[in-house]
Amino acid sequence: MKARFKSLIYCLIIPFLLAWAPPVSAQSTALSITPPVVEILLSPNKKIIQAFTIKNQAESGQFVANLHAVMPIDSVGHVVVSPTPLDPTSTPLLLSLQNINLTFNTPFELRAGESQQLVLSIAGSNTDVPIDTYFALVVSTYSPTNTSLSSTVPGISALILITLTPDGNLPISLSLTDFNPPVIHDSFTPLALQPVLHNQTTTMLRPEGKLEVISPRGQTLVSLPLYPNLILGSSTRTITAQLGEPGSPNLRESPLTWSPSPFTLGPYRLRLTISTLGGTTISETERTVWLLPLRLLLFFLILLLSFLAIFLARRHQKSSRPTPT
Amino acid sequence: MHRLFLFFLILYLFFSPVTLIFAETMESDSYRLRFGNFNMTSGTKTSASYNLTDTVGQTAAGLFTSLGYSVKAGFQYLYTLYDFSFSLSSLAIDFGPLTPDFFQTAFHTLTVSAPGQGYSVSALASSRLKNFATSDFIPATTCNSGTCTATTAGIWDDTSDYGFGYNLVGDDISGDFVDDTYFRPFADASLGDSPAVIMSTTAAGQNRSATITYQLNPSASQAAGNYSALITYIATPTY
């Protein structure tokens, strides 16, 4: 009787508890970080403080902050973050968090919609030569390593690019590659160029420049300003054009393309000038491209061949017609 | 009469409620006003073909520069501003009980907003799917007849090829994910692999999203047990 009563109680209580259980949903993560990229020029034995704001745009959770080394992986400004945290002794900098209650690699709580400021102190060590250090502040969800379930660890990073220089004089050594326009180009199609600048120094540079198109008469037809992209030390960057006025909200970069007039004819010179932000010319390279209305010529050639074929066919018909006897 | 008018005017000005007005960010649970301020007219005007934002009457708007500094003053600059953000729809990957020689799948959505010059998202697994009690593991997929690597996707629709891999469909995904039959194995940190870039662009954009499909196909000889791995995704801005 007792056992039956117990079973009855369980049968009644369990569905009741299940009905009142809070709904369980897969936890999501959404983080934002600002500023996303920081460039710093630092003197030896000087210290700066940089604050980063992390905002949790999803559910409450635990997060960790770490510094990781980054390496450029292509010529369009992407980097890959090292999977292991940065070894502080590997950099000429003294890096620490100034927050009283936060340290690197220690989980901290961030409620839904809340922000947390991470205050990073960066001090430069003594050096006689300019040295660059590139790393990222990575904030990711805290995940215990002993979990038996497969899980994901989303993280967001802010890039910190630092040049440590004793006197502010930075070496400049750039080489230009892939500036090879075709010898002959159809004037009906845009001429797309993808020259690449290689920074041969170990410090980052932000060169400016312009692409000029010079007519056979020596007139400058077009002058396209180049987008002042940053080139990290010992890396490459594809040159792009700048659309919009410098400093304007609508400033954008676009592929380096020139659309000639369809009936442009002759040898045109493409002059690529690379200069420093101060305006000093670093290099000036010229290439010549012959512009011909190839599509128009092809059209007329096909037309001519068609007329010739019709003419020959008629002539053949005439010659093969039987002569009256 | 004139004096009386002046008296009342002074009286009015003296007793009228005066408060300080700041151009600052004001927030509530539902709204966010950035640098609230008085002006003649402002806002977003739209038609079928155009979208115009304007601010008329604001003082000292524009770009101010000197050697080493540039100040972008004015509300029109705000339209370019949004934070660099990254979201993942779920933190758990649960395939449930597995059936040999059968593809099991799970999904997540990755979403990135990146101002400036774009972003990249990289992925890295802590190890292969591993049973931590026995050290058995489910291999990473090599797709149909070994056609894929951690950086190059290949077609994986043959159930006689076993393993664990992922596919991506959506915005800014790597070009080797031609369609939803193309898979890659995860780059493996325990083998010394570098993180593999799975989404990237050089253009600014908001709410760029991609769906990642995890696919698992264990062989009949796979030892029973709990298998797990930690997949790390890092969103990085373009410099």
Side-chain angles (χ1 to χ4, degrees):
Chain A
M1 186 65 190
K2 260 189 176 178
R4 275 191 182 178
F5 183 70
K6 264 187 181 175
S7 307
L8 186 69
I9 293 291
Y10 284 140
C11 287
L12 287 171
I13 285 175
I14 288 169
F16 180 79
L17 287 175
L18 286 175
W20 282 93
V24 176
S25 58
Q27 194 188 357
S28 64
T29 294
L31 286 170
S32 73
I33 193 164
T34 185
V37 183
V38 178
E39 289 171 46
I40 297 166
L41 190 69
L42 189 64
S43 289
N45 306 316
K46 296 284 179 189
K47 187 171 92 171
I48 64 152
I49 302 287
Q50 174 68 49
F52 295 88
T53 305
I54 311 293
K55 187 168 185 184
N56 180 9
Q57 298 170 333
E59 295 115 276
S60 303
Q62 287 205 306
F63 300 89
V64 285
N66 273 308
L67 296 175
H68 292 247
V70 296
M71 286 225 310
I73 49 166
D74 56 24
S75 63
V76 291
H78 293 133
V79 294
V80 69
V81 177
S82 168
T84 50
L86 185 75
D87 174 11
T89 59
S90 67
T91 70
L93 305 164
L94 198 64
L95 305 159
S96 62
L97 274 183
Q98 296 291 289
N99 301 63
I100 295 167
N101 52 350
L102 286 178
T103 54
F104 289 124
N105 208 24
T106 307
F108 60 91
E109 175 92 17
L110 203 53
R111 292 174 186 278
E114 269 189 3
S115 297
Q116 171 71 52
Q117 206 171 55
L118 298 176
V119 183
L120 182 66
S121 161
I122 304 164
S125 64
N126 213 348
T127 179
D128 295 332
V129 289
I131 307 170
D132 270 20
T133 308
Y134 310 129
F135 56 94
L137 174 68
V138 178
V139 178
S140 51
T141 55
Y142 174 66
S143 179
T145 49
N146 56 356
T147 177
S148 62
L149 285 171
S150 286
S151 54
T152 55
V153 183
I156 193 163
S157 63
L159 295 180
I160 303 160
L161 313 169
I162 300 175
T163 298
L164 188 65
T165 170
D167 52 11
N169 290 327
L170 299 175
I172 296 171
S173 177
L174 291 167
S175 68
L176 182 69
T177 55
D178 298 333
F179 183 41
N180 301 314
V183 178
I184 299 170
H185 181 76
D186 182 10
S187 55
F188 276 77
T189 58
L191 177 62
L193 300 162
Q194 286 190 315
V196 173
L197 272 177
H198 183 195
N199 182 0
Q200 293 172 318
T201 70
T202 54
T203 52
M204 57 187 168
L205 293 170
R206 191 183 284 280
E208 289 185 327
K210 60 186 174 182
L211 174 75
E212 290 170 300
V213 181
I214 301 155
S215 73
R217 291 180 177 179
Q219 288 176 319
T220 303
L221 296 180
V222 177
S223 182
L224 284 172
L226 307 182
Y227 195 90
N229 275 315
L230 184 70
I231 314 175
L232 298 187
S234 308
S235 76
T236 58
R237 195 84 196 235
T238 302
I239 296 173
T240 53
Q242 175 181 293
L243 298 179
E245 287 299 308
S248 83
N250 300 320
L251 183 71
R252 286 182 294 122
E253 68 172 319
S254 76
L256 196 60
T257 305
W258 173 51
S259 298
S261 157
F263 300 103
T264 311
L265 188 76
Y268 283 74
R269 282 181 293 153
L270 305 174
R271 183 186 293 158
L272 190 64
T273 308
I274 307 296
S275 54
T276 62
L277 280 175
T280 308
T281 301
I282 301 169
S283 73
E284 199 173 83
T285 314
E286 264 192 19
R287 298 281 185 270
T288 303
V289 57
W290 273 83
L291 290 172
L292 296 170
L294 291 177
R295 289 190 184 193
L296 200 66
L297 291 176
L298 196 67
F299 173 75
F300 280 117
L301 187 70
I302 291 167
L303 205 67
L304 189 73
L305 288 173
S306 304
F307 278 124
L308 198 67
I310 293 165
F311 174 73
L312 288 173
R314 283 192 177 173
R315 199 171 160 183
H316 181 70
Q317 265 183 349
K318 271 186 186 173
S319 63
S320 61
R321 197 175 294 162
T323 48
T325 52
Chain B
M1 186 67 190
H2 189 72
R3 281 184 180 176
L4 200 65
F5 173 75
L6 208 64
F7 172 75
F8 279 113
L9 185 69
I10 290 167
L11 208 66
Y12 171 75
L13 288 174
F14 188 76
F15 286 106
S16 63
V18 178
T19 53
L20 290 173
I21 295 167
F22 298 99
E24 64 178 2
T25 300
M26 292 171 274
E27 276 183 298
S28 78
D29 290 341
S30 321
Y31 294 97
R32 186 162 194 225
L33 302 177
R34 293 196 287 184
F35 304 179
N37 164 281
F38 290 111
N39 48 56
M40 287 178 195
T41 174
S42 66
T44 306
K45 280 89 179 176
T46 55
S47 75
S49 330
Y50 294 97
N51 188 1
L52 172 74
T53 62
D54 68 353
T55 311
V56 179
Q58 187 189 353
T59 51
L63 176 74
F64 304 95
T65 55
S66 77
L67 196 64
Y69 292 94
S70 69
V71 176
K72 295 174 177 179
F75 304 106
Q76 288 300 308
Y77 285 103
L78 284 176
Y79 289 105
T80 59
L81 299 180
Y82 49 88
D83 290 343
F84 177 54
S85 65
F86 176 48
S87 72
L88 189 67
S89 58
S90 173
L91 294 181
I93 312 167
D94 189 3
F95 289 102
L98 301 174
T99 310
D101 299 317
F102 183 75
F103 286 129
Q104 275 109 140
T105 54
F107 309 89
H108 280 163
T109 305
L110 302 120
T111 308
V112 184
S113 290
Q117 292 173 270
Y119 70 94
S120 66
V121 177
S122 62
L124 182 71
S126 58
S127 66
R128 288 167 287 188
L129 282 173
K130 199 171 173 183
N131 182 339
F132 285 91
T134 62
S135 294
D136 287 327
F137 61 85
I138 295 174
T141 182
T142 54
C143 303
N144 291 358
S145 315
T147 52
C148 64
T149 65
T151 51
T152 314
I155 294 174
W156 186 25
D157 56 6
D158 185 349
T159 52
S160 66
D161 288 306
Y162 305 109
F164 175 53
Y166 68 99
N167 163 268
L168 274 169
V169 175
D171 301 324
D172 310 327
I173 59 171
S174 295
D176 52 327
F177 291 107
V178 178
D179 58 40
D180 59 5
T181 63
Y182 279 74
F183 286 81
R184 277 189 201 173
F186 278 101
D188 187 341
S190 69
L191 300 176
D193 290 348
S194 289
V197 174
I198 57 170
M199 291 172 76
S200 71
T201 179
T202 54
Q206 275 185 287
N207 298 322
R208 309 293 294 167
S209 74
T211 302
I212 187 161
T213 303
Y214 307 97
Q215 185 162 282
L216 179 56
N217 178 28
S219 74
S221 61
Q222 189 71 49
N226 269 339
Y227 291 84
S228 66
L230 216 60
I231 316 285
T232 303
Y233 299 104
I234 304 282
T236 312
T238 302
Y239 63 85

